[in-house]
């Protein structure tokens, strides 16, 4: 009983089939924190290089909208046209930004899991609305880790924001004497500094989270020894059935080999342990061929069939041993044995000719 329980422990690494099945179900090692950091980094890069131009375009768009709306007669058609034009201008303004964010999120997911589409995770299942399983998921290790990550990120962002603002606090009082554009510029610089510092801290957290996701994924894929046996049985077949099939195949091959013995020109023996049947047809063969061979009982059976069918049995230990070890059934003999086999066949043919003349 103890051994049975031990077999059920998931201590073995997942097989390639287990990994492939999990991937098809959408179960892969993926960190959402990496995607979040990639999106945040893409936003920072975009704002770093294009924030001034974007702000100017936004101000110009607002000025044009206010001027146009001030000259228009307010009706349903004019308001609708004005709103549509405003939406279009906003789309043109934010289009490159949204495209960069989309590409960043897409690329980081491709780098993590490759190209993968699975409908398994969105397929409706009754187990997803099971209150007991839902309660278990709520207090599972994964949920606790996710909760800890949220708290940690909030704490990191709060600490970074506090330290950054504290360092810039001496510059807040002089803002009273500055114009609106300078105040907005100061706020933008401080905000960018906060986001920049936060991004680097979140990169470290994201890398740690990805390592944890990989570890947790590998742990969830672990298999017991019994599961590996069942998988091998399903993919490769039952070992008992496979063994029986192999025995039947060997038996069929042996019967076919024995049926070819009467067609042999000569049987070369060890003399008691080995027997090799040779056949040579000059019209269709480039070299003599081994059509049957065996050791022990099979060798005795080959010699018995040969004697019953008048096939000569010749004793030659070295040649018999080399043929048995090196040449498979229905395979031509190697060139280094041509001379020895030719001498044996010549002797056999001479015996046949003497019998004819007698």
């Amino acid at each position: 009983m103890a051994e049975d329980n031990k077999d059920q422990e998931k201590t073995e690494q997942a097989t390639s089939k287990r990994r492939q099945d999990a991937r098809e179900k959408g179960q892969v090692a993926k960190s959402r924190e990496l995607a979040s950091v990639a999106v945040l980094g893409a936003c920072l890069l975009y704002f770093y290089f294009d924030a001034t131009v974007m702000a100017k375009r936004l101000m110009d768009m607002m000025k044009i909208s206010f001027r146009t709306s001030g000259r228009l007669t307010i009706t349903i058609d004019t308001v609708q046209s004005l709103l549509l034009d405003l939406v279009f201008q906003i789309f043109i303004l934010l289009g490159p930004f949204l495209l960069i964010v989309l590409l960043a999120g897409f690329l980081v997911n491709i780098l993590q899991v490759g190209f993968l589409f699975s409908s398994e995770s969105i397929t409706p299942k009754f187990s997803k609305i099971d209150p007991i399983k839902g309660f278990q998921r709520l207090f599972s290790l994964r949920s606790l880790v996710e909760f800890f990550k949220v708290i940690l990120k909030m704490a990191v962002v709060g600490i970074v924001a506090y330290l950054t603002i504290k360092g810039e606090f001496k510059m807040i009082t002089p803002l009273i004497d500055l114009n609106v554009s300078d105040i907005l510029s100061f706020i933008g610089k401080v905000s960018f500094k906060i986001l920049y510092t936060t991004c680097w801290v979140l990169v470290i957290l994201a890398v740690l989270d990805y390592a944890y996701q990989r570890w947790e994924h590998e742990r969830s894929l672990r298999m017991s020894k019994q599961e590996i046996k069942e998988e091998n049985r399903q993919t490769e077949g039952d070992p008992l059935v496979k063994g029986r099939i192999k025995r039947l195949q060997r038996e069929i091959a042996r019967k076919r080999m024995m049926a070819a013995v009467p067609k042999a020109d000569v049987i070369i023996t060890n003399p008691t342990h080995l027997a090799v049947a040779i056949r040579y047809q000059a019209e269709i063969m480039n070299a003599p061929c081994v059509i049957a061979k065996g050791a022990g009982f099979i060798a005795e059976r080959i010699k018995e069939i040969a004697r019953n069918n008048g096939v000569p049995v010749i004793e030659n230990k070295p040649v018999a041993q080399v043929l048995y070890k090196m040449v498979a059934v229905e395979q031509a003999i190697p060139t280094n044995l041509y001379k020895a086999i030719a001498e044996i066949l010549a002797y056999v043919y001479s015996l046949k000719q003497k019998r004819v003349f007698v």
Side-chain angles (χ1 to χ4, degrees), residues 53-65:
V53 177
M54 187 177 182
K56 185 176 182 304
R57 290 178 181 175
L58 181 61
M59 295 297 294
D60 293 340
M61 183 185 68
M62 294 178 64
K63 290 177 182 179
I64 294 173
S65 300

Side-chain angles (χ1 to χ4, degrees), residues 61 65 79-95 98:
M61 183 185 68
S65 300
V79 170
Q80 184 178 5
S81 176
L82 182 63
L83 290 177
L84 289 176
D85 182 67
L86 185 60
V87 170
F88 180 75
Q89 293 296 329
I90 292 175
F91 179 78
I92 295 295
L93 180 66
L94 297 179
L98 296 176

Side-chain angles (χ1 to χ4, degrees), residues 26-93:
Q27 299 173 1
V28 291
K30 183 177 68 171
S31 172
R32 288 179 292 182
E33 304 304 323
L34 281 177
S36 301
V37 170
V39 170
L40 178 60
C43 294
L44 289 176
L45 285 175
Y46 184 83
F47 285 129
Y48 180 80
F49 290 104
D50 199 52
T52 304
V53 177
M54 187 177 182
K56 185 176 182 304
R57 290 178 181 175
L58 181 61
M59 295 297 294
D60 293 340
M61 183 185 68
M62 294 178 64
K63 290 177 182 179
I64 294 173
S65 300
F66 289 146
R67 291 189 191 125
T68 304
S69 61
R71 293 195 299 266
L72 289 177
T73 304
I74 303 301
T75 62
I76 295 178
D77 294 334
T78 56
V79 170
Q80 184 178 5
S81 176
L82 182 63
L83 290 177
L84 289 176
D85 182 67
L86 185 60
V87 170
F88 180 75
Q89 293 296 329
I90 292 175
F91 179 78
I92 295 295
L93 180 66

Side-chain angles (χ1 to χ4, degrees), residues 20 29 55 118 126 167 184 225 285 292 296:
Q20 183 61 31
S118 175
F126 289 105
L184 293 177
K225 294 180 179 179
M285 293 181 180

